[in-house]
Amino acid sequence: MKLLEQAGCRVEFPLDQTCCGQPAYNGGFRKEARAQTRQTLDVLDATDGPIVVPSGSCAAMLIHHSPELVGDDADYGAKATRVAERTRELTSFLVEDLGFTPADVAGGHTATYHASCHGLRGLGIKQQPKRLLDDVGVTRVELTGEDECCGFGGLFSIKSPEVSVAMMETKIAQIEASGADTVVGVDVSCLMHIGGGLKRRGSPIRTRHIAEILAGDDQ
Amino acid sequence: MTTFRERIQDAFAEGVPIAIDRGARGHYEHRAEAAAVFPQMEPMRDRARQIRAEVLANLDVHLRQFADSVERNGGVVFFAADAAEACDYIVGLARREGITRAVKVKSMVTEEIHLNAALEDAGVETVETDLGEFIVQLAGETPSHIIAPVLHKNRQQIGELFAERLGVDYTDDPGELNEIARDYLRERFLTAGMGISGANFGVADDGSIALVTNEGNGRLCTTAPRIHVAVMGMERLVRDRRDLAVMLEVLARSATGQGLSSYTNIVSGPRRIGEPDGPDQFHVVIVDNGRSATLGSRVAEILYCIRCGACLNACPVYRHVGGHAYGSVYPGPIGKVLTPSLYGLEQWHELPATSSLCGACQEVCPVRIDIPKLLVELRNESTHELSAGLRRGLAIYAGVTTHPRVFRLLTRTAALVAGVWSRDGWMRRIPVLRNWTRDRELPAPAPETFHDWWRKRGA
């Protein structure tokens, strides 16, 4: 919110929004996902302007999957198309739509960027966050295997905990090898997973959503 | 049979061979390098996809044309509805012709129909001649990768296996191991009465088949024995050699990062009068075995697959668990769709469920199969009892999230409860989420929900 206002936006937040339905959609629970998608579309279609989503995964749901999910209903199909056209992932909105350059506010941390799968492969989010991190003045180091899945995958992390954790451990080893003290991402779900693993292992490495860094809340 | 999850747990307990991750990553990197220096890669992938789509849309027409062409060239075509029919035909042929030894080119479809076991049961010694497949056969194992069957073994293990099974002195020098296999196989090539291959592609308009290998064993198997049997999945057709050329461009690059595999053979029938070599008989066994049903299903796109193995190499799940844990001939992302589709979702429902849907497979697929979407389709069709609990949970979640007031009330309550349950903003143990908290902590939600914060701010 603070970041968007710094970038000169007037921000609205419709209180009736809940969940876009992506967990149910990915789980193969189409009926449940459809109900959630309709709820989300009703709320968002009643607003104006760009719909900015601080998660590549939720944005990909609204842009790619919602129209497909409710496409057989003329009314909701039209809503889904309108909403999809207005939806932007946060960093691509800042870089591509606003041409925003954040203030040089980052203090002393060494950060590395983890590319979340759905943002990366569904929306082409790759360079935008790195550019913003460079602009904000953090010391940024590259992450080997930056585009490899951290193993979260929503319900996958609960249904297949062994593989999920093994993938997470590979990711954590790569993060440790990078020398960073902070992992930055554009999706809180991956950060929750990586962060939960780091915490359990007693690691001092922190996880931060890119908005926290850009808004200057991470001193 | 054990469940996929149990097999994964076993694999982790035994220690998944490091060779798998290293090998898969190696292939993955070679593919990326090959794609980077070939400017036509992306348009070629688009073209390859179109070619596959067209063939599958008119498969009956192309199959008829292919069969007619093979027969015109002097070959024999047999359509096998399932694995048993395919094996029966080949075993029957071997019996009729008095064959006691057969040599084989590596082929996934022959793995699928368990041809080796059928031939061995009939008293036909069946020898795999691809080096990796030969090693797997010696060890009494199954391939762990579509194109690199022995990815799970290191050279020390192979040295020990050769010493034990072939009675040679131990060596782990790859060159020497290769020589040993070569000597052993050479004699088999020259004495086998039947050569069995798969078919990377069948060319509909001229009835030829294309075989891609890196060891030249395909040439020996299809020319030295007096009978050549090619076994082909019914979807593996291209219209003509022009389309074949496109497929070959993307196949080798996607599989191993090569511009073209070391040996690409086009076999167009038995030896003709005046030709110095080649088999007397050429048989093509076209295998359905569930493919017709797949073609009419919501996951028909999986039949575009050309078995390059790129999706296995890219897949983080495959890299961590290896091919054997999948429990099926076809491992990796492609296997997660193909196996349930060919053998029944009820028995194989775990395969499509065990994916983070990261999309790395689709990114490298030479024919751009949308594997994540197909996995979601199968999850949607799956009604297995194991998913019933999850369905109930999600139904409740969907109920809550479609009633915004209830959602706000419950998130507020959850934040309060979590506040009591957590320490320093983290929750260590949550009984209903023990699959999560066994190895990971869960960040506690903020004491105040965003909705409440926003409402106060506005006031």
Side-chain angles (χ1 to χ4, degrees):
Chain A
M1 217 48 80
K2 189 171 153 191
L3 171 63
L4 285 171
E5 284 169 356
Q6 283 171 4
C9 301
R10 188 177 60 79
V11 189
E12 271 181 68
F13 180 82
L15 280 170
D16 279 353
Q17 63 180 297
T18 58
C19 172
C20 68
Q22 198 233 27
Y25 174 81
N26 281 348
F29 301 98
R30 208 171 267 263
K31 190 176 96 201
E32 291 78 5
R34 222 190 299 261
Q36 291 171 306
T37 294
R38 280 199 293 261
Q39 148 79 15
T40 302
L41 293 175
D42 282 338
V43 171
L44 294 179
D45 194 47
T47 62
D48 293 312
I51 299 164
V52 181
V53 185
S55 154
S57 178
C58 307
M61 176 71 192
L62 288 172
I63 292 169
H64 296 309
H65 304 308
S66 299
E68 176 215 319
L69 198 54
V70 297
D72 52 356
D73 177 307
D75 184 26
Y76 277 103
K79 280 187 184 179
T81 308
R82 286 195 294 269
V83 166
E85 280 168 4
R86 291 168 51 207
T87 300
R88 300 282 184 280
E89 184 278 332
L90 175 65
T91 61
S92 66
F93 176 70
L94 290 172
V95 171
E96 288 154 20
D97 295 63
L98 298 185
F100 172 69
T101 305
D104 191 344
V105 291
H109 285 292
T110 303
T112 195
Y113 173 66
H114 162 67
S116 289
C117 301
H118 294 157
L120 173 70
R121 303 199 174 88
L123 303 170
I125 309 298
K126 189 173 169 68
Q127 297 308 328
Q128 304 89 329
K130 292 187 183 179
R131 199 181 119 192
L132 290 166
L133 286 174
D134 291 341
D135 287 343
V136 82
V138 297
T139 308
R140 188 172 64 79
V141 290
E142 294 294 339
L143 179 62
T144 306
E146 161 193 320
D147 59 354
E148 286 172 28
C149 180
C150 73
F152 173 65
L155 295 172
F156 169 73
S157 64
I158 307 287
K159 286 184 80 175
S160 312
E162 295 83 8
V163 196
S164 171
V165 167
M167 287 161 67
M168 178 191 77
E169 281 171 347
T170 300
K171 177 61 70 179
I172 286 177
Q174 289 163 340
I175 291 166
E176 285 171 342
S178 77
D181 60 38
T182 307
V183 191
V184 180
V186 298
D187 257 285
V188 284
S189 51
C190 311
L191 294 171
M192 172 175 83
H193 188 231
I194 298 168
L198 286 166
K199 179 75 186 167
R200 177 58 56 88
R201 281 146 192 78
S203 168
I205 299 172
R206 317 158 328 139
T207 46
R208 290 290 181 274
H209 190 277
I210 194 162
E212 297 177 82
I213 310 271
L214 299 180
D217 281 356
D218 181 52
Q219 295 306 320
Chain B
M1 191 172 153
T2 52
T3 66
F4 188 27
R5 189 167 169 205
E6 285 165 353
R7 291 191 299 275
I8 289 170
Q9 287 166 341
D10 289 347
F12 285 144
E14 288 165 18
V16 180
I18 296 166
I20 288 183
D21 182 57
R22 196 181 294 156
R25 276 173 196 274
H27 283 308
Y28 176 75
E29 281 156 18
H30 291 151
R31 180 216 165 267
E33 286 157 16
V37 298
F38 181 53
Q40 289 302 305
M41 188 69 179
E42 297 311 310
M44 210 57 104
R45 287 171 71 191
D46 292 334
R47 184 77 196 102
R49 181 177 170 82
Q50 284 169 6
I51 288 171
R52 296 298 294 142
E54 193 283 330
V55 162
L56 286 165
N58 303 296
L59 189 58
D60 52 343
V61 177
H62 294 303
L63 274 171
R64 178 44 51 207
Q65 188 191 17
F66 175 69
D68 289 346
S69 308
V70 170
E71 284 165 2
R72 200 171 48 240
N73 295 340
V76 182
V77 176
F78 179 73
F79 281 93
D82 55 24
E85 278 191 23
C87 289
D88 287 350
Y89 177 81
I90 299 165
V91 167
L93 177 67
R95 283 218 172 100
R96 251 193 343 268
E97 297 289 336
I99 305 292
T100 54
R101 177 177 275 175
V103 282
K104 279 191 69 208
V105 191
K106 198 185 93 54
S107 145
M108 289 311 295
V109 70
T110 62
E111 293 282 341
E112 175 190 325
I113 63 175
H114 302 293
L115 177 61
N116 292 17
L119 284 167
E120 295 280 351
D121 284 349
V124 181
E125 184 200 5
T126 308
V127 185
E128 293 288 350
T129 66
D130 168 89
L131 181 59
E133 195 78 28
F134 171 66
I135 294 165
V136 165
Q137 190 184 30
L138 268 190
E141 295 175 353
T142 53
S144 63
H145 189 285
I146 291 178
I147 63 151
V150 73
L151 193 67
H152 57 287
K153 282 201 189 309
N154 60 35
R155 60 196 162 100
Q156 288 78 13
Q157 290 168 315
I158 295 167
E160 284 160 19
L161 179 72
F162 276 20
E164 187 197 318
R165 301 301 305 272
L166 301 178
V168 294
D169 291 336
Y170 174 85
T171 172
D172 56 26
D173 177 75
E176 288 177 23
L177 289 169
N178 209 6
E179 270 316 307
I180 295 167
R182 213 183 160 93
D183 285 345
Y184 180 88
L185 291 173
R186 179 69 48 163
E187 193 247 326
R188 267 79 188 163
F189 281 125
L190 297 175
T191 53
M194 181 182 274
I196 300 168
S197 73
N200 290 93
F201 299 101
V203 182
D205 75 343
D206 68 5
S208 59
I209 60 159
L211 277 181
V212 169
T213 77
N214 270 323
E215 296 166 19
N217 60 321
R219 289 196 176 168
L220 277 166
C221 284
T222 57
T223 50
R226 64 188 173 85
I227 301 172
H228 173 202
V229 180
V231 187
M232 184 182 84
M234 66 180 267
E235 81 283 16
R236 301 296 292 272
L237 291 180
V238 291
R239 279 177 301 197
D240 50 32
R241 292 206 186 174
R242 191 184 292 265
D243 285 355
L244 174 65
V246 175
M247 302 316 294
L248 292 176
E249 292 270 21
V250 296
L251 173 60
R253 284 187 173 84
S254 302
T256 52
Q258 293 166 288
L260 195 61
S261 50
S262 306
Y263 298 88
T264 302
N265 282 16
I266 296 183
V267 178
S268 39
R271 173 166 48 176
R272 287 174 204 147
I273 297 162
E275 285 180 350
D277 52 19
D280 299 334
Q281 297 181 30
F282 175 58
H283 299 255
V284 182
V285 178
I286 299 173
V287 178
D288 184 327
N289 207 30
R291 287 165 173 76
S292 294
T294 300
L295 190 58
S297 76
R298 296 177 68 97
V299 298
E301 191 184 334
I302 204 65
L303 296 176
Y304 290 15
C305 175
I306 58 173
R307 307 288 190 270
C308 70
C311 61
L312 280 63
N313 302 329
C315 178
V317 175
Y318 178 87
R319 287 178 185 176
H320 281 93
V321 307
H324 288 147
Y326 291 79
S328 154
V329 169
Y330 298 106
I334 200 72
K336 282 181 187 171
V337 182
L338 205 52
T339 303
S341 178
L342 295 180
Y343 304 123
L345 183 57
E346 199 56 19
Q347 191 196 340
W348 296 98
H349 66 97
E350 275 185 298
L351 291 181
T354 310
S355 166
S356 67
L357 303 180
C358 80
C361 46
Q362 182 186 9
E363 196 170 57
V364 297
C365 176
V367 291
R368 303 191 196 279
I369 300 173
D370 191 345
I371 295 175
K373 185 171 153 234
L374 302 183
L375 293 172
V376 169
E377 286 290 351
L378 289 175
R379 290 176 182 190
N380 189 47
E381 280 172 27
S382 175
T383 53
H384 197 271
E385 58 192 284
L386 279 183
S387 56
L390 203 56
R391 182 174 291 273
R392 264 196 302 279
L394 268 168
I396 294 167
Y397 179 61
V400 168
T401 51
T402 46
H403 295 85
R405 292 164 66 97
V406 180
F407 176 80
R408 291 198 290 268
L409 181 69
L410 283 180
T411 47
R412 202 176 295 142
T413 314
L416 288 173
V417 174
V420 178
W421 201 272
S422 65
R423 207 153 24 131
D424 303 331
W426 294 88
M427 295 180 283
R428 288 188 63 82
R429 228 193 318 273
I430 308 166
V432 292
L433 286 177
R434 60 180 177 279
N435 274 357
W436 178 283
T437 54
R438 194 165 44 228
D439 296 295
R440 298 161 283 205
E441 314 221 337
L442 195 67
E448 185 176 40
T449 69
F450 188 84
H451 286 75
D452 285 343
W453 175 82
W454 179 260
R455 195 149 40 183
K456 275 191 208 151
R457 187 182 188 244

